[in-house]
Structure formats: C-alpha cells, structure tokens
Amino acid sequence: MAKKNGKALKKTTKVGFISLGCAKNLVDTEVMLKLLVDAGYEIVSEDVDADIIIINTCAFLESARKEAIDNILDVAWLKEHRSLRGIVVTGCLSEMVRDEIFAELPEVDAALGVGGVQNIVEAVRAVENKKRYSCFEGKETSPLGGERVLTTESYAYLKVAEGCDNRCTYCLIPSIRGCHRSRPMEDIIKEAADLTTLGIGELDIVAQDTSRYGLDMYGEYKLAPLVAGITAATEEAGSPWVRLLYCYPDKITDELISVIKNNPRVCKYIDMPIQHISNSVLSRMNRHGGSEIIRDAVSRLRREIPEIAIRTTVMVGFPGETDEDFEELCEFIKDVKFDRLGAFTYSAEQGTPAAELPDQIDEQVKEDRYNTVMALQLEITSELLRARVGQVLDVLYEGFDYVSGSCYGRSEFDAPDVDGKVYFTCEAKDRPREGAHIKVRITDTLDYDLVGEYIKGE
C-alpha cells in the first residue's frame, strides 16, 4: 500500500464494464457507470486492468444468453490467472436465472436483476469485502433514468420507458423486464437538455415499445408531445437531431406523423418493427393489429413524408409459417421497399407460448428463408442508395476510420449501430468536431454505405 506523508493510501478499486444487448441496456450501463464514478471508483477500459468486472447481460434469445455466459466464463479466467477479484452480473440474464445463477455460474460473485441498477455500488462494495451479494427487487418500482457517463461520442440514447405490455407469443421481455412503465415527461426533457450540453448531435429515443409512451401514466399516447418538448428544450443547447426507434405500426398516430413531418429537428426516419405481414402468422404471434394496420401505417408515413426512411425487422420460420406465408412476406418487402430491414430466424424460447405451438419449422428452412430475405433486401437497399448519388446530405460527423483512411458519419436516414454510414475524405486540419452536422455530396455507394465529398464551410 502506497504512503503519503507517512499515511497509508487506500488503493482505488478499478472497475471494468461489458455491456451486451440493446441500446436500452446500454443506458442502464451508463447509469451504473455514473453511480460508481460518484462513489470514487476508477473505471478502466481494459478487462486485464480491472479489479472487478460488471457484465450487463441480455437474454432475449438463446444466442444472447450464450453470449452472456461466454463472456462470464472468459472473464472468470482473469480471476485465476490475473488480478481480477470479482464478477458482478446484471441485467436480463441475471433476472431470468435469478434462483440458479450462483449454482449454475459459481464464478459470479454478485448478481443484480433488472431493477437493481441503483444497487450497483452496494454490490461492488460487497465483492470488495469478499461477500456474495444479490438483489432482485424493484423490477416494477425502481427509478427510471438517472445521471449517466456517456459511452457514445456523437449521439446518446434516451430511454423513455421500461418493460412491455404487448405479450407477443415469442418474446420473453415482459416476463423479464415487467410491465410497461413510462418516465415522467419533465424528467425526460430535462435529461435531453442535459445531454445536449455535452455536445452530442443526436438523441435516439428508445423503449421496448416507444410508441406506447405515456399511455400508462397519462391515459393516452404522449410520444408526439414528448418529442416536441425535447426539441424545444434543446434548441439553444446545440439543436441535436431527434430520432425515433422501436415504434409499433398500431400506434403510429396522425399526431406523431405530423411531428416527424413538420419538425425540422426530427429525423425523417422511423424504426417500425412489423415481424411479418401474413395475418395468420401475425395472429399466432399475438401482434397487435394485422396486415391492414401495417399497410396503412406504411402508406400514411409515405404519403405524408415522401422522403422518410422506414426501417423494420421481420421474423422468418415462426411455427406454422407456410411457403405461402413466406412468399407473401417477400412480395410485401418487394412492394414497400423498406429503406432498411433486419431479419432473424425464429428461436423457440422456453416459457413462451410460441415454443409450445405445433408445426415448428426445420432449422435449415429457417436459414434458407433468412438468406432469401436478406438477399432481397440487399438489392432494394442498393437501388435506394444509388438514387442518392449526386445528392447533398446533412451528415452527423462521427470520426476517422484509420483502416479505410476516411472520415465517416451518418445521414438522418441511418440510425447508429444498425444502419449504414457515409464515408468521405477530409484534410486533417478541416475535420469537424465529433457530433457536428456537416454537408456531404454523395458520389458512390459501397454495400450498405455511401461515399461522398465533404463540402467545407456548409
């Protein structure tokens, strides 16, 4: 132990983080980071430097649970061969296996459920004192939000609600995360204003079902007035873009469309997962609204905002999905030409109603259908991107890619992490600050990305 003026100094515990899963999980990680920093802990970026590592897990799919367990076991190696003193597991996997986590994963020293974010300091202190710790309370009552240490540079996620009430038959989220709970509007708007002072250029609004925001608290959908409040509160602090993610087609109100259309700060973009278009499949999924609702939502968005980029996700291989169902989905994708589309194969999750349905689909058939959809979407995306050649786009500058030797950013038509980027050359002396909005003339395409020329001074 070091000494100063003859007095022993206590060594600061170094904490490392691994955040898995969705953007909503990342927000929880950032809140825990802030709590630990305020408590005097040092946050380190390299696992080998950490005394204690916190793994914030996902458990939505079997593949996500495997990834979480693999990370726990990988980190456990550091306890045997390096100086790591403890492992804290938080989030969905911890919540899901709360009764067995210490028995099944003896490498874990502390475990917090999804309501335990605010207990992270207590958990770390217990590990410091070589005590096992767990907290699985507060799933329906724990505070939402809180100050954060941002782990993103040019943008920030803004979580407006927790949990879900949709009860899709394939999904574990309601049983893990609990019922939908909205945050008070004034708290969200204040957080948005605070985040904007950090120089970010984009706020991405997220929840499990963002479009349901406010129904539980105010008795009606309040996403549209929330967005208006956010843009008003951040006007003087940097005027970031506001982007809407995870909006469901049955809750796309005319008021919400109007806000996207008429507010220049709101990206002409919406993430609207549909999962399928066949009514028989949607019914077995227990998706709210059927094919007509989806078609109507797309039609209204495209009619009112012709330039809007619509991103969606679809699931293939759901129990009972016939060749005809799948062909209907493909034809719909061809007709609509979604700007961005992600697909995944159905995974039978134990404890969900869909896992007990008859007519489960062969794994090879699922994979073949996935490949068909993604090949189809690549053709559509390539066609839509080629149409942007020659256009001048507003781009949020994000940094310099040393591999390609290019600067990069995103247009308002692309969300972080899941969509494409805009690459362009720029002299080092002319590079904007990260989070700045600039102009780029598009000259070419590259798979799902665009290539262009920086227009200096605009």
Side-chain angles (χ1 to χ4, degrees):
M1 183 176 292
K3 292 186 178 182
K4 182 178 181 181
N5 297 328
K7 296 181 179 180
L9 296 178
K10 183 179 179 181
K11 180 183 176 183
T12 302
T13 298
K14 298 178 180 179
V15 179
F17 260 89
I18 298 173
S19 190
L20 306 173
C22 65
K24 301 176 288 293
N25 232 28
L26 181 61
V27 173
D28 290 343
T29 292
E30 293 175 338
V31 171
M32 288 189 283
L33 280 167
K34 176 62 174 173
L35 291 168
L36 288 165
V37 168
D38 287 350
Y41 291 96
E42 179 184 351
I43 307 301
V44 295
S45 58
E46 298 295 334
D47 294 350
V48 293
D49 297 329
D51 300 309
I52 295 173
I53 290 180
I54 298 163
I55 306 174
N56 195 12
T57 61
C58 177
F60 178 55
L61 298 171
E62 181 181 353
S63 57
R65 296 192 291 276
K66 182 179 184 303
E67 180 186 21
I69 292 170
D70 287 346
N71 271 272
I72 293 168
L73 297 179
D74 287 345
V75 167
W77 183 89
L78 296 174
K79 290 176 75 174
E80 295 182 21
H81 300 90
R82 294 291 188 271
S83 59
L84 187 68
R85 290 153 46 195
I87 300 172
V88 181
V89 176
T90 66
C92 290
L93 178 69
S94 184
E95 180 73 36
M96 185 177 182
V97 297
R98 56 197 293 178
D99 295 329
E100 299 90 24
I101 187 164
F102 293 129
E104 296 294 327
L105 293 166
E107 299 86 357
V108 175
D109 301 284
L112 298 177
V114 297
V117 169
Q118 300 295 325
N119 295 80
I120 189 62
V121 173
E122 189 175 343
V124 170
R125 284 175 177 162
V127 174
E128 284 182 296
N129 293 316
K130 300 182 179 179
K131 295 180 181 179
R132 182 158 277 179
Y133 179 92
S134 64
C135 177
F136 295 102
E137 300 174 357
K139 181 164 69 172
E140 303 284 1
T141 59
S142 61
L144 301 180
E147 293 186 35
R148 295 150 57 185
V149 172
L150 284 187
T151 58
T152 51
E153 294 287 343
S154 58
Y155 64 94
Y157 291 108
L158 188 59
K159 185 159 70 168
V160 302
E162 182 58 274
C164 187
D165 288 343
N166 290 325
R167 306 289 171 179
C168 300
T169 58
Y170 53 82
C171 185
L172 288 165
I173 294 299
S175 62
I176 296 174
R177 287 277 177 181
C179 297
H180 178 92
R181 292 192 294 143
S182 299
R183 291 177 60 191
M185 191 178 298
E186 58 271 21
D187 289 357
I188 299 169
I189 292 173
K190 182 182 183 304
E191 182 182 4
D194 291 343
L195 288 170
T196 304
T197 63
L198 301 177
I200 62 167
E202 177 176 321
L203 289 167
D204 296 301
I205 299 181
V206 296
Q208 193 62 38
D209 179 355
T210 305
S211 45
R212 182 182 281 269
Y213 173 76
L215 185 61
D216 56 312
M217 183 171 286
Y218 303 108
E220 58 184 338
Y221 299 138
K222 286 289 189 177
L223 183 57
L226 173 65
V227 171
I230 289 171
T231 57
T234 58
E235 187 70 45
E236 296 181 1
S239 302
W241 286 342
V242 175
R243 186 183 302 277
L244 297 175
L245 305 178
Y246 315 129
C247 295
Y248 282 50
D250 60 305
K251 305 178 188 72
I252 305 297
T253 65
D254 291 341
E255 184 183 13
L256 182 60
I257 292 176
S258 178
V259 165
I260 300 172
K261 176 182 179 179
N262 297 314
N263 192 322
R265 296 266 307 290
V266 180
C267 293
K268 303 304 178 272
Y269 175 104
I270 192 167
D271 181 315
M272 186 178 71
I274 64 168
Q275 306 308 351
H276 217 281
I277 196 61
S278 163
N279 274 324
S280 62
V281 175
L282 290 168
S283 177
R284 289 194 297 278
M285 288 179 170
N286 194 36
R287 296 288 291 180
H288 295 189
S291 173
E292 184 177 347
I293 293 292
I294 295 171
R295 295 175 189 275
D296 178 66
V298 172
S299 176
R300 288 187 294 125
L301 285 163
R302 288 268 172 83
R303 182 178 65 246
E304 294 298 321
I305 318 169
E307 71 274 30
I308 194 169
I310 303 177
R311 175 182 176 81
T312 195
T313 52
V314 299
M315 179 190 298
V316 297
F318 191 78
E321 181 191 51
T322 63
D323 290 341
E324 291 75 18
D325 292 329
F326 179 66
E327 182 60 31
E328 183 179 356
L329 175 62
C330 290
E331 288 301 315
F332 181 67
I333 293 171
K334 290 178 186 177
D335 291 343
V336 170
K337 297 185 186 302
F338 289 104
D339 298 82
R340 301 293 190 188
L341 179 147
F344 58 100
T345 59
Y346 167 74
S347 173
E349 302 300 324
Q350 186 176 359
T352 62
E356 305 301 322
L357 289 175
D359 302 319
Q360 298 284 327
I361 306 297
D362 179 77
E363 292 299 324
Q364 186 58 55
V365 173
K366 293 180 190 178
E367 193 65 27
D368 291 344
R369 290 177 178 177
Y370 168 83
N371 291 332
T372 298
V373 165
M374 293 312 297
L376 173 60
Q377 183 60 36
L378 179 58
E379 293 181 9
I380 293 169
T381 299
S382 297
E383 176 188 341
L384 294 174
L385 290 180
R386 285 194 297 271
R388 296 212 178 273
V389 173
Q391 295 181 3
V392 174
L393 298 182
D394 291 324
V395 171
L396 176 67
Y397 179 67
E398 294 190 300
F400 182 80
D401 179 29
Y402 288 93
V403 175
S404 66
S406 300
C407 295
Y408 66 91
R410 288 179 294 105
S411 76
E412 67 174 307
F413 307 114
D414 291 291
D417 300 324
V418 293
D419 293 335
K421 294 186 180 296
V422 178
Y423 290 92
F424 58 94
T425 56
C426 177
E427 294 291 335
K429 62 183 177 60
D430 295 328
R431 287 176 196 165
R433 66 167 180 82
E434 291 188 15
H437 292 100
I438 62 173
K439 300 287 187 181
V440 176
R441 180 178 287 106
I442 304 305
T443 59
D444 204 351
T445 67
L446 180 65
D447 296 327
Y448 288 98
D449 302 316
L450 294 169
V451 179
E453 300 171 340
Y454 173 45
I455 303 178
K456 184 179 177 182
E458 292 194 24

